[in-house]
Amino acid sequence: MAAAATAAAAAASIRERQTVALKRMLNFNVPHIKNSTGEPVWKVLIYDRFGQDIISPLLSVKELRDMGITLHLLLHSDRDPIPDVPAVYFVMPTEENIDRMCQDLRNQLYESYYLNFISAISRSKLEDIANAALAASAVTQVAKVFDQYLNFITLEDDMFVLCNQNKELVSYRAINRPDITDTEMETVMDTIVDSLFCFFVTLGAVPIIRCSRGTAAEMVAVKLDKKLRENLRDARNSLFTGDTLGAGQFSFQRPLLVLVDRNIDLATPLHHTWTYQALVHDVLARKLDVYFEYEEKIMSKTTLDKSLLDIISDPDAGTPEDKMRLFLIYYISTQQAPSEADLEQYKKALTDAGCNLNPLQYIKQWKAFTKMASAPASYGSTTTKPMGLLSRVMNTGSQFVMEGVKNLVLKQQNLPVTRILDNLMEMKSNPETDDYRYFDPKMLRGNDSSVPRNKNPFQEAIVFVVGGGNYIEYQNLVDYIKGKQGKHILYGCSELFNATQFIKQLSQLGQK
């Protein structure tokens, strides 16, 4: 019972920490005291779309009102002057946002201005604000300027993503475009690193970093290690000293950060899931049980009892997208790629079924480039038999849906990301992860060692997928950690996508 309570406290840590930071910000950057009897100071909240996305999952309209927020408005909307009320701003430090804030100062919209930046503002942009305040004779009205380091979105107690706005800038497609320039790639990596840095400032911990070699994840690891190291070296202004660390959930033992690249497993984001949400959304006018069972067999190298061509050619079995997802999983997971003659036959069947072949074109290029003649990852084995649930529902009525779900007991199998985490968290020797790079930002000198200095298993870990994540992977990690008493993990990704969104990116990459 005590272990469960500890785990629950740990699970809430990043969500609670971000919520506490937001409440402190809304309280003019003074700690917010619960159950205080006095009336709150009434104020307006001005945010951009980024700020809105960060606040929305954490604070309700009622909670904002309890904090004294009478109005919450978008920065770039038409706003009337409210000269007797203070304004709390929560925005990204972009050129466009700074210009609009300077305009607000010139127009004397509010009584006073509390400027909070989601990420750190540069000195030159700070000077722009100072000059605007001087020109508007509003220097005394700019009460406070703060860097909040909150540039990430907490969706669950143990899950976060980088951004909803402009997410195409850090998408799988953006990172894997064949024509991406070095400058563009640097911008993508810097965007990801800025958010991860904010995440660890909010968490109040400096992680040990592990990553695979030769991937975008390695580029993120190198840059994040450098950014953390530079901040730690500046003792006077370090964000990881004093009371920030004292109250941290992770303060007794440092967490492990595992950076993985989406390319280590392209099959899982395409997989038809068999969860309650999937039943509600997908199962009826599609044979989802057939797809689920067949994909499980492909991914676990089990003998197939039906021709793949038959499923693709069956006009009653699923949508064109379902068929393309199934074939891509087969193509990614198979040890021996089909012959050109067989591939042409599959392509004809897919075309006849109404499929767009661009995703296949990209996966062919990807497989050739990575020289992955065999599956990039092993997916374990399963003994699932969905028992023709759809046909039973059609014959006997919908009350059998839930009975079918009860009968569908999945054998626990670790997906590739979960298996990588298990190897690194438990300090297991495994060819899959033995050459992963090791970074400790607290070490005076950076080294290029794969050999961990710490030999003890980790109690806490953060898995971050560069190139996008999905709920299937997240749920697999949640199921894995349930069996590990006293241990806790967080899952993060540069963007969160479903199979439809992912296949669209693959299609764009496959266009000639």
Side-chain angles (χ1 to χ4, degrees):
M1 198 74 179
T6 306
S13 67
I14 190 61
R15 189 184 187 102
E16 282 184 359
R17 277 179 160 267
Q18 197 174 28
T19 304
V20 166
L22 287 171
K23 286 185 173 180
R24 184 177 60 229
M25 176 191 82
L26 295 174
N27 201 41
F28 305 123
N29 285 294
V30 175
H32 175 62
I33 300 164
K34 284 183 185 176
N35 305 323
S36 56
T37 51
E39 277 281 298
V41 176
W42 300 112
K43 57 192 90 82
V44 295
L45 170 62
I46 312 295
Y47 47 34
D48 60 3
R49 295 279 183 196
F50 289 89
Q52 186 179 40
D53 286 344
I54 292 164
I55 290 172
S56 296
L58 299 177
L59 294 173
S60 66
V61 173
K62 182 187 181 302
E63 286 173 303
L64 288 174
R65 189 155 184 87
D66 289 345
M67 294 289 302
I69 303 295
T70 54
L71 278 174
H72 37 98
L73 305 165
L74 283 167
L75 175 65
H76 293 281
S77 62
D78 291 329
R79 289 174 282 117
D80 295 325
I82 313 176
D84 55 346
V85 170
V88 175
Y89 286 71
F90 184 51
V91 298
M92 288 291 282
T94 64
E95 202 78 53
E96 187 185 21
N97 285 350
I98 301 295
D99 288 347
R100 186 58 188 261
M101 292 163 83
C102 292
Q103 188 181 317
D104 287 359
L105 288 169
R106 285 192 294 273
N107 294 341
Q108 299 185 343
L109 289 190
Y110 307 110
E111 178 193 66
S112 53
Y113 303 82
Y114 293 79
L115 309 182
N116 298 278
F117 294 101
I118 296 168
S119 278
I121 185 173
S122 67
R123 186 162 187 84
S124 62
K125 289 194 175 105
L126 204 54
E127 286 169 359
D128 291 342
I129 293 173
N131 290 332
L134 273 170
S137 301
V139 174
T140 55
Q141 291 168 281
V142 179
K144 287 181 182 177
V145 181
F146 271 88
D147 293 329
Q148 292 292 347
Y149 296 99
L150 293 171
N151 190 17
F152 60 95
I153 301 166
T154 305
L155 295 178
E156 309 274 355
D157 284 342
D158 47 8
M159 183 194 218
F160 68 100
V161 296
L162 296 199
C163 61
N164 283 338
Q165 304 300 319
N166 302 339
K167 64 181 177 185
E168 65 278 0
L169 297 180
V170 293
S171 67
Y172 178 82
R173 176 176 174 262
I175 295 169
N176 291 278
R177 271 174 40 218
D179 59 343
I180 191 168
T181 65
D182 288 349
T183 309
E184 287 171 329
M185 186 59 114
E186 285 286 318
T187 303
V188 173
M189 296 298 110
D190 287 341
T191 302
I192 293 172
V193 167
D194 179 73
S195 283
L196 283 173
F197 181 79
C198 289
F199 173 85
F200 284 105
V201 171
T202 304
L203 196 64
V206 180
I208 301 289
I209 306 170
R210 302 297 304 272
C211 71
S212 54
R213 294 175 184 271
T215 62
E218 182 181 30
M219 296 170 71
V220 171
V222 170
K223 282 179 171 286
L224 181 61
D225 175 64
K226 182 171 182 282
K227 195 173 178 79
L228 288 166
R229 193 179 293 279
E230 285 172 353
N231 189 265
L232 288 165
R233 199 180 294 139
D234 182 3
R236 180 181 287 180
N237 298 307
S238 175
L239 297 158
F240 296 96
T241 54
D243 58 11
T244 312
L245 281 179
Q249 175 63 38
F250 293 113
S251 56
F252 298 111
Q253 191 202 23
R254 290 169 63 196
L256 170 70
L257 170 63
V258 180
L259 289 166
V260 295
D261 196 284
R262 180 70 274 156
N263 283 318
I264 61 130
D265 173 19
L266 294 185
T268 295
L270 297 166
H271 192 15
H272 286 82
T273 55
W274 194 262
T275 61
Y276 177 73
Q277 293 95 324
L279 277 171
V280 171
H281 188 244
D282 276 346
V283 72
L284 298 174
R286 284 177 60 191
K287 297 191 179 177
L288 189 68
D289 55 337
V290 174
Y291 279 92
F292 172 78
E293 183 179 7
Y294 205 87
E295 289 165 5
E296 288 279 301
K297 285 180 175 175
I298 289 172
M299 292 164 77
S300 59
K301 310 289 187 291
T302 308
T303 307
L304 303 173
D305 53 4
K306 189 175 182 182
S307 156
L308 179 60
L309 207 56
D310 287 347
I311 297 180
I312 293 170
S313 304
D314 182 351
D316 297 323
T319 64
E321 185 190 289
D322 290 328
K323 295 172 195 283
M324 179 52 79
R325 282 163 63 181
L326 174 64
F327 185 74
L328 290 178
I329 287 172
Y330 161 73
Y331 195 85
I332 290 164
S333 303
T334 187
Q335 289 189 329
Q336 180 125 11
S339 66
E340 278 304 314
D342 285 347
L343 189 58
E344 284 306 312
Q345 205 176 355
Y346 282 124
K347 283 164 77 171
K348 182 180 185 308
L350 289 164
T351 304
D352 291 346
C355 297
N356 174 350
L357 296 184
N358 284 341
L360 175 58
Q361 186 61 31
Y362 172 72
I363 292 296
K364 273 184 73 179
Q365 294 166 358
W366 167 79
K367 196 157 185 171
F369 179 73
T370 51
K371 295 184 173 59
M372 288 189 176
S374 60
S378 160
Y379 293 86
S381 61
T382 182
T383 53
T384 306
K385 183 80 173 112
M387 300 161 52
L389 179 61
L390 185 76
S391 55
R392 282 177 47 214
V393 170
M394 292 306 182
N395 293 335
T396 57
S398 61
Q399 71 266 30
F400 284 102
V401 170
M402 293 321 293
E403 182 196 321
V405 174
K406 281 183 237 167
N407 290 337
L408 187 73
V409 181
L410 298 185
K411 181 181 175 187
Q412 178 60 38
Q413 56 167 330
N414 288 341
L415 293 174
V417 167
T418 305
R419 207 171 49 249
I420 288 166
L421 172 76
D422 181 54
N423 290 339
L424 297 172
M425 198 171 183
E426 300 297 335
M427 306 300 289
K428 294 177 181 175
S429 179
N430 189 295
E432 195 173 22
T433 51
D434 281 348
D435 73 336
Y436 267 48
R437 289 190 67 180
Y438 177 93
F439 299 87
D440 183 351
K442 282 194 169 183
M443 297 295 292
L444 287 174
R445 283 194 185 84
N447 58 27
D448 188 20
S449 169
S450 296
V451 183
R453 292 175 179 273
N454 170 32
K455 298 293 183 188
N456 298 320
F458 287 87
Q459 297 302 306
E460 289 99 9
I462 298 98
V463 183
F464 186 86
V465 187
V466 179
N470 55 84
Y471 269 105
I472 308 172
E473 220 159 49
Y474 163 69
Q475 191 59 52
N476 195 248
L477 284 162
V478 169
D479 292 342
Y480 158 81
I481 209 68
K482 279 178 187 168
K484 306 283 182 183
Q485 210 171 24
K487 298 206 172 192
H488 173 57
I489 55 172
L490 292 165
Y491 177 75
C493 49
S494 46
E495 65 167 331
L496 191 66
F497 45 53
N498 59 28
T500 301
Q501 293 162 329
F502 187 50
I503 212 165
K504 183 180 177 184
Q505 293 193 42
L506 297 181
S507 179
Q508 290 167 334
L509 285 165
Q511 285 174 351
K512 291 181 180 175

